[in-house]
Each structure stands twice: as structure tokens, then as C-alpha cells.
């Protein structure tokens, strides 16, 4: 079973993750991961932290001479900002530390429920771990999963559909080309004509001490039919993707395929007719893809299409009303350094989160302990569905 855990505080010494269940024999370099980490750091509207950090992974186990061993892969990113936080975040009691607790929880953050749940008097003990800094670890893990998927010609792409209510026009191109267009600008939109308007919206929000959310779309091509399962709730691929994406900081909605619009459309215009095309990768095809590549909790051979709604970042430089946890008096919420908009970064994180879940389901179906063994299983399955 492919699984992972992450650990690390935003201003602690490092972010670490352990990924277990990757097969042996996969070529894997730090660069495969660093490319994804660098993409996560980009985007118009990011804050000062991204100027401080230059996220790079260090393998601590599981990889030897550029090839996976089949053992747990331990991944570490050093927090360069740690230097400024060593005293405040010291794991051992530090005589130089002058307590300065955060006591005014920020609406929309984990601050209040986290402090109540864990009995913390200093909200910093919650916000350090709740921070979206943790997504760097998820990108590390997802980047490894992506390498596995690429071996089987499965690719994950993304682009941003809207930011702060400014919508990109839909561009009708294959996913790889949409992705290329998205990579060409700092808001990751395929409609490059909307970039200026989004910049202006982000600038206006920043000037106003406000923040902006948005919607991005993740596309996965080359997924064979049969990942996930109809037989049990926790094996359904759509359910698993939604859970994984909803677990990402600031995500409030996930739609697959036609999404919420299915509720307003007659069945004859929702469901995708089936056809057979001997020249296609898997033989059986659908002549439309409103299902977003998933039927009955299983991939159906079409491109997987997922849209994700990210709320505006909760730290506002013009803070909302809050109460002091100690005095219970009304105050403006605490201010922590933050970004105005992180939707372009979220789309990169979303890609990597999706890559993990798809890789996990892929290994369940074709699992083996080495890439060679998985390849045999996969080719056997493809031959079988083509010959039936
Ligand atoms: C982030 C690191 C954080 C924030 C941001 C994302 O660093 P710092 O708190 O030191 O500025 O920039 O996180 C949030 C806005 C949040 O609310 O969690 C990162 O590495 O992506």
C-alpha cells in the first residue's frame, strides 16, 4: 500500500515526509522533485516568505544512485526562515525566549478550534502546523508519485479558471497544451487575455488588506479504466480524490466532471455515450466526458477532470473581529505574514496531491515490488481489455 505522513512546523527547522510503498527500480532524482517545489513557490500575489525560501529536497532514505530501493523514502526540506525563528521555535527550553503568545485567533484559520481542542494558550502552537507551508511536503510526495505515473504514460496537468471572481475564458485544447499555456504566465490561466485583469484584482485586494481565492482544474490523462472500485465506499476513486483535495489547506469545494451542473441538466445531456475505437488506447471510449473520467467510483479510461475551489487566505492585513482568548474582549484578529493570493500555487499542489491518489490506486490494481513487475502486470491488463 502506498502511504505517507508529513511532519514539520512552518517556522521549524525542516519539513519532512515519509513515503512508503513505492516500488524498487524507479529512476528518481532530487531534480524531479525540485522542479515541482519551484513551481509551488511561484504565482502572482505570493508573500515575502517565498522570497526567503528556495525549497529543495534532500533524500534521507529509500533512494540509491538515483534509483528507488523499495524501502521507505524519507524526504526533507530545510526551512531557511528557521534562522529567524530558532529562539521562538526552539524544541528545548531557551533562556533567551521572551514569551509573546498569539492570543487573538484569526477567523477562517485553525487558530480557535485548534487552541480549544489541544488546550493551547498560544495559538502559534496551532498555526505553525496548520500553515499551508505543509503543502511543500505534499508536493514532494506527489512529485515521486508523478515519476511513477510517467513510466506508464499517465500525466497530471492543471490550470486556473478564476481568481477573485475574474474568470478565464475556456480554451478548447488537449490537456498538455492547456498546461503549457498555464505555465506561460504567473496566474496559470490558459486564457492569457485575462492575466492583466487578475493582476489588477490581486493588486486591489492587496492595497485593501484583503485576499482572494479562486478555482483551478486538475486533469489526468492516460489513466486506464478500472482504478478505484464500486464495491466499497472507501475504495471509490472519486471519493478518494475529493478527500485528498479537501484535505489541502483552504479548499472548500471539489467537483468532478460536470460537477454541480449535473443537478440542473437532464440525464440525456449528462451521461456520456459509449463507443468502441480500436485505435484508442483502451478500446472502449465515451463520446463526451461529463463524468470527468470516473463512473461508479472507477476510472473509465477518459481524462480525469477535477475542479477545486480555494477560499481566500484567512490572514487579512485588515483583520476581522476576534476575541482575545485570555480576556475574552473583542479585538481585531492577529496578523501573521501572509500572501494576497495563492491560487496559482494551489493548482500546482493540487496536481501533486492528485498524482499521489492516482498512483496509490494504480499500485493497488497493478501492484508489484518492482517497476518491472508492475509493467508486466500493466501490459497484461491492457492486452486483456484489448483482446476481449
Ligand atoms: C507558505 C508559507 C507561509 C505563508 C503561507 C504559505 O509562510 P509564512 O507564514 O512564514 O509567511 O507564506 O501560508 C499561509 C498563508 C497560511 O495561511 O498558512 C508556503 O510555503 O506556501
Amino acid at each position: 500500500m502506498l502511504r505517507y505522513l508529513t511532519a514539520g512546523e512552518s517556522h521549524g527547522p525542516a519539513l519532512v515526509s515519509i513515503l512508503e510503498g513505492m516500488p524498487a527500480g524507479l529512476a528518481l532524482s532530487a531534480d524531479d522533485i525540485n522542479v515541482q517545489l519551484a513551481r509551488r513557490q511561484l504565482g502572482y500575489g505570493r508573500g515575502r516568505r517565498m522570497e526567503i525560501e528556495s525549497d529543495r529536497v534532500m533524500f534521507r532514505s529509500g533512494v540509491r544512485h538515483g534509483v528507488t530501493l523499495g524501502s521507505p523514502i524519507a524526504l526533507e526540506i530545510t526551512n531557511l526562515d528557521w534562522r529567524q525563528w530558532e529562539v521562538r521555535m526552539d524544541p528545548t527550553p531557551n533562556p533567551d525566549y521572551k514569551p509573546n503568545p498569539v492570543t487573538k485567533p484569526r477567523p477562517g484559520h485553525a487558530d480557535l478550534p485548534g487552541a480549544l481542542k489541544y488546550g493551547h494558550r498560544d495559538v502559534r502552537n496551532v498555526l505553525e502546523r496548520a500553515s499551508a507551508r505543509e503543502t511543500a511536503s505534499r508536493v514532494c510526495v506527489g512529485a515521486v508519485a508523478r515519476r511513477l505515473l510517467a513510466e506508464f504514460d499517465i500525466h497530471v496537468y492543471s490550470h486556473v479558471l478564476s481568481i477573485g471572481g475574474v474568470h478565464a475564458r475556456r480554451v478548447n485544447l488537449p490537456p498538455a497544451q492547456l498546461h503549457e499555456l498555464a505555465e506561460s504566465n504567473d496566474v496559470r490561466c490558459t486564457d492569457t487575455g485575462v492575466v492583466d485583469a487578475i493582476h489588477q484584482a490581486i493588486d486591489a485586494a492587496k492595497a485593501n488588506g484583503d485576499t482572494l481565492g479562486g478555482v483551478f482544474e486538475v486533469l489526468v490523462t492516460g489513466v486506464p479504466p478500472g482504478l478505484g472500485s464500486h464495491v466499497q465506499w472507501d475504495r471509490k476513486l472519486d471519493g478518494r480524490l475529493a478527500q485528498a483535495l479537501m484535505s489541502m489547506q483552504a479548499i472548500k469545494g471539489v467537483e468532478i466532471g460536470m460537477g454541480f451542473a449535473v443537478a440542473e441538466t437532464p440525464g440525456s445531456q449528462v451521461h456520456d455515450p459509449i463507443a468502441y475505437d480500436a485505435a484508442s488506447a483502451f478500446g472502449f471510449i465515451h463520446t463526451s466526458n461529463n463524468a470527468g473520467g470516473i463512473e461508479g467510483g472507477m476510472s473509465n479510461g477518459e481524462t480525469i477532470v477535477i475542479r477545486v475551489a480555494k477560499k481566500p487566505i484567512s490572514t487579512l492585513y485588515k483583520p476581522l473581529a476576534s476575541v482575545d482568548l485570555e480576556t475574552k474582549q473583542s479585538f481585531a484578529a492577529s496578523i501573521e505574514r501572509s500572501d494576497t493570493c495563492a491560487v496559482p500555487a494551489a493548482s500546482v499542489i493540487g496536481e501533486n496531491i492528485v498524482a499521489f491518489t492516482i498512483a496509490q490506486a494504480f499500485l493497488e490494481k497493478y501492484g508489484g515490488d518492482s517497476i518491472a513487475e508492475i509493467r508486466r502486470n500493466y501490459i497484461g491488463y491492457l492486452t486483456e481489455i484489448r483482446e476481449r
Side-chain angles (χ1 to χ4, degrees):
M1 181 178 148
L2 191 66
R3 56 182 177 160
Y4 74 93
L5 283 176
T6 73
E9 273 74 43
S10 179
H11 305 103
L15 300 169
V16 295
S17 36
I18 296 181
L19 174 62
E20 188 189 61
M22 281 304 284
L26 178 71
L28 182 67
S29 72
D31 274 351
D32 292 325
I33 297 169
N34 289 336
V35 164
Q36 298 301 328
L37 289 173
R39 291 177 67 227
R40 194 199 74 95
Q41 288 200 252
L42 299 174
Y44 197 81
R46 291 287 254 155
R48 279 232 317 107
R49 179 73 183 268
M50 291 303 100
E51 293 162 24
I52 298 168
E53 301 296 341
S54 173
D55 293 337
R56 298 188 75 75
V57 75
M58 277 178 290
F59 291 121
R60 294 304 196 186
S61 73
V63 185
R64 187 163 175 236
H65 301 299
V67 181
T68 58
L69 301 177
S71 53
I73 301 174
L75 305 150
E76 183 176 325
I77 300 170
T78 302
N79 280 325
L80 298 180
D81 204 18
W82 161 245
R83 291 188 213 108
Q84 277 75 251
W85 290 81
E86 263 181 75
V87 173
R88 280 172 289 178
M89 293 297 291
D90 197 334
T92 53
N94 189 315
D96 296 333
Y97 177 55
K98 298 186 183 50
N100 180 23
V102 179
T103 58
K104 300 176 183 66
R106 297 160 301 165
H109 264 289
D111 299 2
L112 178 61
L116 296 176
K117 177 176 167 66
Y118 286 88
H120 289 309
R121 296 272 164 195
D122 183 354
V123 168
R124 177 155 306 287
N125 294 333
V126 176
L127 70 87
E128 284 289 334
R129 177 63 183 156
S131 165
R133 179 96 190 113
E134 187 259 351
T135 59
S137 286
R138 304 237 222 153
V139 167
C140 279
V141 164
V144 180
R146 234 174 149 111
R147 266 296 302 124
L148 174 84
L149 294 175
E151 289 291 311
F152 301 95
D153 213 17
I154 298 171
H155 300 283
V156 188
Y157 305 111
S158 78
H159 59 110
V160 169
L161 289 171
S162 71
I163 287 180
V166 182
H167 291 258
R169 273 181 306 117
R170 279 275 182 187
V171 177
N172 194 15
L173 284 172
Q177 285 175 44
L178 290 178
H179 188 79
E180 229 170 85
L181 279 172
E183 292 282 294
S184 76
N185 63 78
D186 59 9
V187 290
R188 299 192 51 73
C189 283
T190 56
D191 167 16
T192 48
V194 82
V195 173
D196 283 348
I198 291 181
H199 282 177
Q200 283 162 24
I202 294 172
D203 290 344
K206 186 174 183 178
N208 221 8
D210 218 330
T211 57
L212 295 180
V215 175
F216 62 88
E217 185 169 80
V218 179
L219 303 155
V220 196
T221 61
V223 181
L227 301 196
S229 176
H230 63 291
V231 305
Q232 199 60 263
W233 67 272
D234 59 351
R235 295 176 60 188
K236 293 183 186 249
L237 188 63
D238 39 7
R240 290 164 61 177
L241 286 164
Q243 194 281 331
L245 286 161
M246 286 292 279
S247 78
M248 180 176 153
Q249 289 78 347
I251 299 309
K252 282 295 189 188
V254 177
E255 292 187 322
I256 296 188
M258 206 179 200
F260 268 50
V262 296
E264 294 152 18
T265 315
S268 57
Q269 290 164 47
V270 168
H271 302 296
D272 307 307
I274 298 171
Y276 193 81
D277 176 1
S280 72
F282 309 119
F284 295 95
I285 59 161
H286 300 74
T287 55
S288 57
N289 188 21
N290 295 327
I294 301 178
E295 290 173 306
M298 290 168 282
S299 56
N300 67 4
E302 304 297 337
T303 296
I304 291 181
V305 183
I306 316 168
R307 278 181 306 286
V308 185
K310 181 183 181 299
K311 71 180 180 181
I313 285 171
S314 320
T315 299
L316 304 177
Y317 282 100
K318 211 194 270 173
L320 294 174
S322 181
V323 294
D324 190 288
L325 287 179
E326 299 303 325
T327 66
K328 320 291 186 297
Q329 280 183 344
S330 293
F331 278 102
S334 303
I335 301 174
E336 292 278 321
R337 178 179 55 201
S338 191
D339 317 77
T340 306
C341 176
V343 177
S347 83
V348 173
I349 299 157
E351 280 173 30
N352 287 286
I353 283 179
V354 166
F356 172 81
T357 299
I358 299 291
Q360 190 185 48
F362 187 88
L363 289 179
E364 282 161 20
K365 177 81 182 114
Y366 311 107
D369 297 305
S370 69
I371 290 290
E373 187 178 10
I374 296 164
R375 200 178 297 286
R376 282 199 298 278
N377 294 344
Y378 188 48
I379 291 170
Y381 176 81
L382 292 184
T383 308
E384 192 186 307
I385 60 170
R386 296 305 301 262
E387 284 178 355
R388 54 182 284 152

